[in-house]
Amino acid sequence: MSQINVNTIGARTGTTISVASGHTLTGAGNLIKLASATASNDDSIIFDNFVDHNTYINYFIVMKNIHPENNNVELRLKFRVGGASGSNGSDTYRSGGYYVYANTSSSGFIENNSATDYHRIANSVGNADNEGINATATFFPATGTAASSGPSLFNSRHVHENISDQIQIVDRTIAAYVTATGLNFYYSSGQIVSGEIVVYGITKWVL
């Protein structure tokens, strides 16, 4: 089979590039929207069965104005397992990272931090109008069990104004040895009153 290499493909007429039957033209590194949810007094926001190791190298999550019902609560994460019939993954969840404040002289590290069957993304989240969570995250689901792969990883950077009116910026990685196929977001008490979460897949090169 012959191969022709060119720098640019320009359409002489029209705007369509045709691809052979059975193939899909997908640029490597593209963001493909896989799922989204807008909260309206929900106990949790759950995304199941979006993990596809053949198509996506990892995942990018955007959280906008995730507002709690109750004051001084934690925004928490559970990895989901089991695909379409998803359930919460059970393990010791561990995390580490660092935090700084934008309007007071304070910073520090998050070290040797663990919890059973969940972990916190953010703490001390208030329910005043100017509080709530804005964040981005990258998600690397494990490809197998603890014996055959690394853990599932959720790396987040969030900003929120806490109950002491301090603007907190936190980088945190959450890890658990579960074969994650989805994500579960919820507050430690009360509902998610409002806000939006969008999940994108970052593509591999597929033709």
Side-chain angles (χ1 to χ4, degrees):
M1 181 179 68
S2 299
Q3 177 175 306
I4 299 175
N5 296 320
V6 297
N7 292 325
T8 304
I9 298 175
R12 185 164 179 248
T13 59
T15 58
T16 301
I17 296 176
S18 297
V19 180
S21 176
H23 294 270
T24 301
L25 185 64
T26 304
N30 284 347
L31 287 176
I32 306 298
K33 184 178 178 181
L34 303 177
S36 65
T38 299
S40 180
N41 300 312
D42 295 307
D43 292 333
S44 61
I45 295 178
I46 295 175
F47 301 100
D48 273 328
N49 204 34
F50 63 83
V51 171
D52 181 350
H53 293 290
N54 293 322
T55 304
Y56 304 107
I57 191 70
N58 71 328
Y59 303 85
F60 184 72
I61 293 95
V62 178
M63 292 171 268
K64 182 178 180 181
N65 298 330
I66 309 301
H67 202 78
E69 174 187 7
N70 294 339
N71 197 35
N72 193 21
V73 292
E74 296 177 350
L75 179 62
R76 294 179 173 179
L77 170 76
K78 291 178 182 282
F79 292 122
R80 300 279 289 177
V81 298
S85 57
S87 60
N88 293 319
S90 179
D91 191 45
T92 299
Y93 286 54
R94 305 184 185 278
S95 81
Y98 66 90
Y99 63 89
V100 298
Y101 288 93
N103 58 344
T104 187
S105 297
S106 181
S107 63
F109 291 98
I110 302 165
E111 302 175 292
N112 195 27
N113 206 265
S114 64
T116 301
D117 295 343
Y118 78 93
H119 216 295
R120 69 188 64 82
I121 297 172
N123 58 357
S124 302
V125 184
N127 62 352
D129 288 344
N130 63 329
E131 296 173 321
I133 294 293
N134 289 284
T136 58
T138 51
F139 170 46
F140 296 86
T143 56
T145 63
S148 61
S149 78
S152 290
L153 300 172
F154 185 88
N155 309 310
S156 68
R157 169 180 281 250
H158 78 261
V159 179
H160 79 287
E161 186 166 345
N162 63 24
I163 59 172
S164 301
D165 296 322
Q166 297 169 329
I167 300 172
Q168 189 179 52
I169 304 166
V170 181
D171 270 77
R172 181 192 294 269
T173 296
I174 297 171
Y177 280 101
V178 296
T179 308
T181 56
L183 299 168
N184 178 3
F185 302 92
Y186 65 102
Y187 276 110
S188 53
S189 70
Q191 296 179 321
I192 303 174
V193 173
S194 58
E196 185 177 7
I197 301 177
V198 184
V199 178
Y200 299 91
I202 301 177
T203 59
K204 300 179 181 181
W205 179 262
V206 178
L207 180 59

